[in-house]
Amino acid sequence: QVQLVESGGGVVQAGGSLRLSCVASRSISGARSMAWYRQAPGNQREMVASISGGGSTNYGDAAKGRFTISRDNAKDTVYLQMNSLKPEDTAMYYCNLRGNFGIEYWGKGTLVTVSS
């Protein structure tokens, strides 16, 4: 099975930037897709950004124009570059991998706090 470990979260002022990383224990080249989700207290978990095995990307409405998902297959790592951060971006950010047969893997999350 695959283990996913997120890092890069922290406290940042509004308007600042952070880059999140997700390192997989196995090769990500065979994954159907990888994605970043987030969940704030009282909110549903929402998709922030995803990247397919073929490299196609998709972004949630809140992320469009500000966030960029990318990957480095050689490092088995997926990144989320977050710019122009807003207080409403404050959430736990989770890495997700979709494999074959509907199998999914989740990381434990990394906390992003954006101060006013």
Side-chain angles (χ1 to χ4, degrees):
Q1 62 182 40
V2 180
Q3 293 180 329
L4 304 173
V5 180
E6 304 98 331
S7 63
V11 180
V12 64
Q13 294 185 58
S17 299
L18 284 174
R19 189 183 75 160
L20 307 184
S21 299
C22 172
V23 180
S25 62
R26 302 289 298 273
S27 174
I28 64 172
S29 62
R32 296 290 180 89
S33 68
M34 297 195 72
W36 289 94
Y37 287 75
R38 71 185 185 187
Q39 187 169 25
N43 289 3
Q44 292 184 303
R45 183 171 296 190
E46 64 175 328
M47 195 276 290
V48 178
S50 67
I51 183 166
S52 73
S56 298
T57 58
N58 183 254
Y59 296 93
D61 288 342
K64 291 178 180 177
R66 299 188 298 128
F67 296 0
T68 303
I69 188 170
S70 62
R71 70 186 179 204
D72 186 338
N73 288 344
K75 296 181 179 179
D76 296 324
T77 302
V78 173
Y79 304 96
L80 183 68
Q81 179 67 45
M82 304 186 294
N83 299 324
S84 301
L85 284 163
K86 305 173 182 179
E88 50 263 45
D89 294 318
T90 296
M92 187 72 73
Y93 284 72
Y94 299 92
C95 184
N96 167 267
L97 183 153
R98 293 184 180 182
N100 295 322
F101 312 112
I103 298 173
E104 290 190 337
Y105 302 93
W106 292 90
K108 295 180 180 179
T110 185
L111 182 63
V112 172
T113 302
V114 184
S115 62
S116 301

